[in-house]
Amino acid sequence: MATTAAASTLKRNMKTALAGLRRINLEGLRWRVFDARGQVLGRLAAQISTVIQGKDKPTYTPHREEGDMCVVLNAKDICVTGRKLTDKFYRWHTGQVLILMVNYIGHLKERSLKDQMAKDPTEVIRKAVLRMLPRNKLRDDRDRKLRIFVDNEHPFHDRPLEPYIMPPRSVRELRPRARRAMIRAQKKAENQQQKGDSGKIARRKREINNEITT
Amino acid sequence: MTRIRRGYVARRRRTKIRLFASTFRGTHSRLTRTTIQQKIRALVSAHRDRGRQKRSFRRLWITRINAAIREMGVSYIYSISINDLYKRQLLLNRKILAQIAISNTNCLYMISNKIIK
């Protein structure tokens, strides 16, 4: 069920990827490729939003739309810190639409990051980038310039693509509790390995102990 | 008291206002009372935005200089470059720097390389 839904969204993604290209004036725009594998969600989205607005060009003009086309690959490998995978919720309100004088009763609906990634991982990045863009009339055009793909394959191989190198990041050191947890996990992994390697020696030891007791 | 007509006084005043608002859209250029109000609003906006214009252009220049400087390398940032500019007592203002950034990017690179050292 989940896989078929994901497959259908993939196909729809591919079709819409080539869709609105005619509406964009593509002369002189570069095609930048972002690889989302192992990147943190918000930090990647911030970089994408600056590129899409055209703020990395010295000819930036706020009333014209001249950002580069952004292609994002490997959307399913995006990382998130903390407990956001289970605790970050996408919420939206339904109903409250007046049609033929009938007010639909709606309520707050929410979906966690985990479910959203299972359903459509491209939406996660798209929402993140869109919510970082300024809310003005150019926002829809900028949305059209963003193409996000789940895997490495995309239908833009004949274009002149340029990979975007993320700026270097200073990762802060682990907090004490997290570091202790990591050390414990490492030790556990080492113990597992040792047990696997020296299984025979442990069994010999146990046999000797049994002999001594009996 | 004898009867006194107002004559052309009001009409002359209103034609001036109508001339000012002649390019406005719809009833804002046709109906007298609306035109008077719209002329006042237009002048207020112009007065306020003359101060804002200075701010917004400076913002635009800063964004452009930032973009041009970041293209140079990884740790080239607008704030650090401006600090270096002041330290070296280079009196170029942001308007000129932005213009240099657009037209003659190599010149800007030369300037910033000299400043960084």
Side-chain angles (χ1 to χ4, degrees):
Chain A
M1 210 11 215
T3 46
T4 48
S8 69
T9 47
L10 265 172
K11 261 195 264 174
R12 198 174 1 116
N13 208 5
M14 283 291 173
K15 220 167 54 163
T16 53
L18 296 162
L21 277 179
R22 255 184 301 143
R23 287 171 101 178
I24 316 170
N25 190 12
L26 274 179
E27 305 167 12
L29 292 181
R30 297 175 283 181
W31 286 68
R32 315 282 279 269
V33 176
F34 289 80
D35 191 7
R37 183 182 305 238
Q39 299 282 343
V40 182
L41 175 62
R43 293 181 189 261
L44 176 71
Q47 300 298 322
I48 297 178
S49 78
T50 39
V51 168
I52 274 217
Q53 286 178 52
K55 273 191 145 181
D56 52 348
K57 299 183 179 173
T59 51
Y60 168 71
T61 329
H63 64 88
R64 271 186 321 189
E65 175 42 32
E66 276 181 359
D68 298 325
M69 293 284 304
C70 287
V71 178
V72 184
L73 306 176
N74 294 320
K76 62 174 169 16
D77 295 323
I78 199 110
C79 299
V80 124
T81 54
R83 295 189 200 144
K84 288 183 214 160
L85 213 48
T86 46
D87 287 355
K88 181 173 168 77
F89 284 97
Y90 289 97
R91 299 189 164 96
W92 66 100
H93 289 267
T94 58
Q96 295 122 24
V97 176
L98 266 171
I99 295 180
L100 287 180
M101 298 207 279
V102 167
N103 209 353
Y104 293 121
I105 302 172
H107 51 203
L108 182 62
K109 285 199 169 173
E110 57 183 25
R111 198 185 287 156
S112 76
L113 229 196
K114 235 182 0 179
D115 301 335
Q116 186 66 47
M117 293 289 266
K119 200 155 182 194
D120 190 10
T122 63
E123 269 307 303
V124 170
I125 302 184
R126 187 173 295 275
K127 274 209 170 69
V129 174
L130 253 113
R131 287 176 183 180
M132 288 191 182
L133 293 175
R135 326 292 193 263
N136 54 19
K137 292 187 191 172
L138 300 172
R139 196 168 168 231
D140 291 331
D141 301 329
R142 285 168 178 161
D143 183 22
R144 222 167 284 134
K145 289 195 175 170
L146 234 199
R147 310 284 156 134
I148 310 179
F149 297 100
V150 187
D151 287 327
N152 240 335
E153 33 182 87
H154 59 99
F156 297 123
H157 288 285
D158 53 341
R159 310 276 178 171
L161 300 172
E162 295 172 19
Y164 179 86
I165 311 166
M166 293 283 282
R169 199 195 137 195
S170 57
V171 189
R172 65 143 197 252
E173 56 169 61
L174 283 173
R175 297 267 191 256
R177 179 186 293 190
R179 182 189 285 174
R180 271 182 263 136
M182 198 179 74
I183 292 175
R184 249 186 291 140
Q186 274 177 359
K187 282 201 184 141
K188 202 172 179 183
E190 283 172 17
N191 282 344
Q192 292 272 350
Q193 241 194 359
Q194 276 182 6
K195 270 191 206 162
D197 289 343
S198 55
K200 282 189 192 167
I201 303 174
R203 247 184 281 137
R204 278 292 300 164
K205 275 194 193 161
R206 261 186 266 131
E207 282 176 27
I208 294 167
N209 283 338
N210 286 343
E211 285 178 25
I212 294 171
T213 48
T214 53
Chain B
M1 285 292 298
T2 50
R3 177 175 177 254
I4 299 176
R5 283 170 53 187
R6 278 187 284 181
Y8 47 73
V9 177
R11 187 164 54 243
R12 279 200 185 151
R13 193 189 71 224
R14 288 182 197 137
T15 28
K16 274 190 272 179
I17 297 176
R18 200 186 169 105
L19 179 63
F20 179 89
S22 58
T23 53
F24 289 9
R25 191 180 183 193
T27 55
H28 291 190
S29 56
R30 295 183 230 284
L31 307 182
T32 327
R33 288 153 110 192
T34 332
T35 354
I36 300 172
Q37 292 162 5
Q38 294 309 313
K39 177 187 181 211
I40 296 173
R41 301 194 93 230
L43 291 175
V44 164
S45 296
H47 179 74
R48 173 184 25 113
D49 290 333
R50 255 175 272 131
R52 291 251 178 98
Q53 190 182 50
K54 305 174 192 25
R55 296 181 225 169
S56 59
F57 268 112
R58 187 167 158 128
R59 266 177 94 184
L60 179 61
W61 298 327
I62 291 176
T63 315
R64 284 187 172 169
I65 298 171
N66 200 1
I69 287 202
R70 272 174 208 256
E71 273 181 0
M72 288 185 57
V74 170
S75 60
Y76 284 81
I77 311 176
Y78 167 82
S79 45
I80 294 179
S81 307
I82 291 288
N83 196 15
D84 293 336
L85 259 175
Y86 285 157
K87 273 194 231 166
R88 300 281 242 136
Q89 293 179 334
L90 189 61
L91 291 176
L92 287 173
N93 59 1
R94 286 147 179 84
K95 177 163 95 176
I96 300 297
L97 277 175
Q99 206 55 44
I100 296 176
I102 306 177
S103 58
N104 193 357
T105 332
N106 285 324
C107 192
L108 189 73
Y109 288 2
M110 277 185 343
I111 295 175
S112 62
N113 277 328
K114 282 224 155 166
I115 299 169
I116 288 251
K117 259 180 257 172

